[in-house]
Amino acid sequence: MKYLLLIFFFAQTIYFAQELNCRVTLNTEGLPVVNRDNLVGFDNMIADYMNKTKFLNENWDVQKIDCSMNIYFTAAGDEVSYTAQVVISSMRPVFESDQNVQMLSIVDNSWSFTYEKGQPIQANPSTFDAITSFLDFYAYLIIGYDTDSYEMLGGTPYYQRASSIINLGASSRYSKGWINAGSSYTRSSIIEDLLNEKFRPFREAFYNYHYNGIDVFEKDKRVAQENIVRLITTLDVMRSKISLNSPLIKVFFDAKNGEIIDRLQGYQNKDIYKTLRKVDPAHMSKYDEAALR
């Protein structure tokens, strides 16, 4: 049963039918008034769907995953056609701590759908729906990412479910965002990476980073730092086999660069920042600054 160790860690005795605790916000400032009026209550509808849908067949016997979706509407083709940018994030509690760490921080620029005011939304896994399929995809990604941090490769079944949604979306009239676009982030590209054997060492290191690094930091800082460093050195070794422009690697460092710098304070081997510059050049200036402390 998934998360058996978490039952011990967090002494959870509460059964949760649903898996997510999702906060949803809307920004409709760039739309005509008629479209803004049409979207009144849309945020509550999305939050209800994310929080009241049971996405998994198995029992969810640990606390719900805190996550958020910030929806910025960028265009309206007519009174019912919309395009939005969505910022998706999720958090994870740290063992025996009141701290949370960020897991996901994704900017999805390509959510398109039609919506009429008062339109009900219902899950139907076998049929593509531009609204619910998008929400289901990110629910499975959030759950998979969380599970991967507690159980090595434990998120695979949820990534496979997300992959099935991609197959439906790619053949729909809303295919943008569902089909691969090279090094740019798409829903397809991150799932392809997560299910690709080339990225297996990263996923294994990802588990070790959290379970034997972040979770033990307060008890044994030295051991925790070594396990955090192990992920960085794993990526350095992988550089000859993967592209560091991979959406999966970018998503990881977008969420974790500050956390890594914070947890490596006092680490004696400053060369680790040189390695970080190589595996995550997008945040190079932050690593340069950290190396001087």
Side-chain angles (χ1 to χ4, degrees):
M1 180 64 195
K2 185 175 73 65
Y3 282 15
L4 286 179
L5 291 178
L6 267 186
I7 297 172
F8 171 76
F9 276 177
F10 291 99
Q12 289 285 348
T13 58
I14 301 173
Y15 163 72
F16 294 105
Q18 290 81 30
E19 300 83 13
L20 303 181
N21 178 34
C22 187
R23 179 178 57 84
V24 179
T25 62
L26 296 187
N27 185 319
T28 60
E29 292 178 2
L31 299 181
V33 173
V34 64
N35 295 101
R36 280 183 270 167
D37 289 344
N38 189 47
L39 291 166
V40 171
F42 186 79
D43 50 346
N44 294 329
M45 183 184 69
I46 299 301
D48 282 349
Y49 183 88
M50 295 295 282
N51 295 327
K52 294 180 180 179
T53 299
K54 182 169 169 47
F55 292 98
L56 308 183
N57 295 325
E58 63 263 34
N59 291 344
W60 187 256
D61 44 20
V62 292
Q63 68 189 66
K64 294 183 179 183
I65 303 169
D66 287 328
C67 54
S68 65
M69 301 184 79
N70 298 321
I71 305 169
Y72 301 87
F73 283 89
T74 55
D78 51 41
E79 291 186 13
V80 296
S81 299
Y82 297 95
T83 300
Q85 177 193 77
V86 187
V87 180
I88 300 100
S89 63
S90 66
M91 306 293 289
R92 173 198 190 277
V94 177
F95 173 51
E96 289 190 342
S97 167
D98 58 359
Q99 299 178 35
N100 290 309
V101 294
Q102 188 168 49
M103 296 296 289
L104 280 174
S105 179
I106 292 175
V107 179
D108 189 316
N109 291 310
S110 305
W111 188 22
S112 297
F113 58 89
T114 58
Y115 172 74
E116 296 185 33
K117 190 171 185 178
Q119 169 188 328
I121 59 171
Q122 294 180 327
N124 186 346
S126 62
T127 303
F128 179 80
D129 177 87
I131 296 178
T132 59
S133 294
F134 179 91
L135 300 177
D136 292 350
F137 172 85
Y138 279 111
Y140 289 129
L141 181 60
I142 290 167
I143 293 167
Y145 230 69
D146 199 76
T147 308
D148 259 2
S149 75
Y150 292 112
E151 179 183 342
M152 189 176 291
L153 306 178
T156 298
Y158 314 120
Y159 302 144
Q160 290 170 338
R161 295 186 194 189
S163 182
S164 296
I165 297 171
I166 288 168
N167 293 334
L168 294 173
S171 59
S172 75
R173 66 188 181 100
Y174 299 101
S175 59
K176 185 179 180 181
W178 294 105
I179 57 176
N180 210 328
S183 61
S184 301
Y185 172 84
T186 62
R187 285 151 240 153
S188 175
S189 61
I190 192 169
I191 293 299
E192 284 186 12
D193 287 351
L194 284 163
L195 293 176
N196 190 326
E197 276 296 307
K198 288 183 179 180
F199 288 91
R200 182 187 180 107
F202 167 74
R203 285 183 61 195
E204 292 174 345
F206 178 89
Y207 157 78
N208 191 58
Y209 171 97
H210 289 93
Y211 201 78
N212 298 309
I214 298 299
D215 278 339
V216 305
F217 190 86
E218 296 300 324
K219 282 191 172 183
D220 196 329
K221 181 178 178 180
R222 184 188 64 81
V223 168
Q225 287 183 327
E226 290 301 332
N227 283 303
I228 291 168
V229 166
R230 191 171 300 170
L231 178 141
I232 299 165
T233 55
T234 294
L235 282 174
D236 192 33
V237 171
M238 290 174 65
R239 282 193 302 142
S240 62
K241 298 180 180 179
I242 66 168
S243 169
L244 292 176
N245 291 322
S246 151
L248 176 58
I249 304 305
K250 183 179 184 302
V251 163
F252 174 79
F253 280 115
D254 282 350
K256 296 292 190 178
N257 67 88
E259 176 181 292
I260 290 170
I261 290 170
D262 180 62
R263 294 303 197 278
L264 289 183
Q265 286 188 42
Y267 189 69
Q268 292 187 346
N269 187 353
K270 296 291 186 180
D271 285 344
I272 192 59
Y273 295 106
K274 295 180 182 178
T275 308
L276 277 165
R277 284 168 53 95
K278 289 188 290 183
V279 298
D280 181 28
H283 300 102
M284 188 181 295
S285 61
K286 292 185 178 182
Y287 301 133
D288 287 342
E289 183 180 342
L292 297 174
R293 294 176 187 169

